[in-house]
């Protein structure tokens, strides 16, 4: 049971945002219902999803980053949601499972996943070498900053779902055994 109310009836800006989310997903995921307790937080989260969805790294890589971070943070909700969204973005089940472990057959994707997990594991205290690894993999500054933005957004969503015990409303995916 969620530790905060799941907002189902809203007015004003909150209703408008929830309507946009409903239109985008065909349903309103429980995470957004939980965040809707604060219109400012909902606007921030939804705006970030929208902005990053139009970014340069692409939806598939964004979803692979999301599942790696979700698994690292034991966020069953985000793991389930982003696995489904990753499949919708063109990733195979195997690619999403590998991303959950922070690996990929594609060296560029693996560099991004390794970097994202290093940011999380080291609380953003990364080395020059870790940034250079991204550059050697073919990422420029715009993409590198965007990868970090994905990390930040996913920390926000992971923390919401773990802290508030938001019920998972996507097909479940097993966390890796650590």
């Amino acid at each position: 049971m969620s530790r905060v109310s799941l907002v189902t009836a809203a007015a004003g800006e909150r209703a408008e945002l929830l309507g946009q989310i409903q239109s985008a997903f065909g349903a309103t995921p429980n995470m957004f219902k939980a965040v809707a307790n604060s219109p400012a937080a909902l606007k921030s989260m939804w705006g970030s999803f929208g902005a990053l969805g139009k970014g340069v790294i692409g939806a598939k890589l964004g979803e692979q980053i999301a599942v790696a971070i979700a698994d690292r943070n034991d966020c069953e909700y985000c793991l389930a949601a982003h696995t489904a969204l990753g499949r919708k973005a063109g990733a195979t089940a195997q690619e999403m499972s590998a991303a959950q472990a922070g690996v990929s057959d594609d060296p560029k994707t693996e560099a991004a996943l390794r970097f994202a997990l290093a940011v999380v594991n080291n609380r953003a205290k990364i080395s020059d070498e870790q940034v250079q690894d991204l550059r050697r993999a073919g990422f420029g500054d715009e993409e590198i900053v965007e990868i970090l933005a994905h990390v930040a957004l996913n920390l926000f969503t992971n923390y919401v779902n773990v802290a508030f015990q938001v019920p998972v409303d996507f097909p479940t995916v097993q966390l890796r055994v650590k």
Side-chain angles (χ1 to χ4, degrees), residues 18-28:
L18 288 172
Q20 291 171 16
I21 294 163
Q22 170 78 28
S23 293
F25 287 95
T28 304

Side-chain angles (χ1 to χ4, degrees), residues 10-23 42 46:
E13 183 179 34
R14 188 182 333 214
E16 181 182 326
L17 292 166
L18 288 172
Q20 291 171 16
I21 294 163
Q22 170 78 28
S23 293
L42 182 60
W46 186 239

Side-chain angles (χ1 to χ4, degrees), residues 106-116 130 133-134 137 139 147:
D106 175 57
K108 189 171 183 179
T109 298
E110 184 155 334
L113 295 173
R114 208 171 33 249
F115 178 79
Q130 288 168 308
D133 286 346
L134 281 177
F139 291 105
I147 290 168

Side-chain angles (χ1 to χ4, degrees), residues 85-105:
L85 293 169
R87 295 298 311 274
K88 188 176 177 183
T92 66
Q94 172 147 4
E95 286 173 317
M96 293 310 291
S97 180
Q100 185 178 342
V103 296
S104 174
D105 290 338

Side-chain angles (χ1 to χ4, degrees), residues 11-12 15-16 33 56 62 77 105 125 128 135 154:
E16 181 182 326
K33 292 176 185 177
V56 295
Y77 191 100
D105 290 338
K125 294 177 182 164
D128 291 343
R135 292 187 196 295
N154 283 284

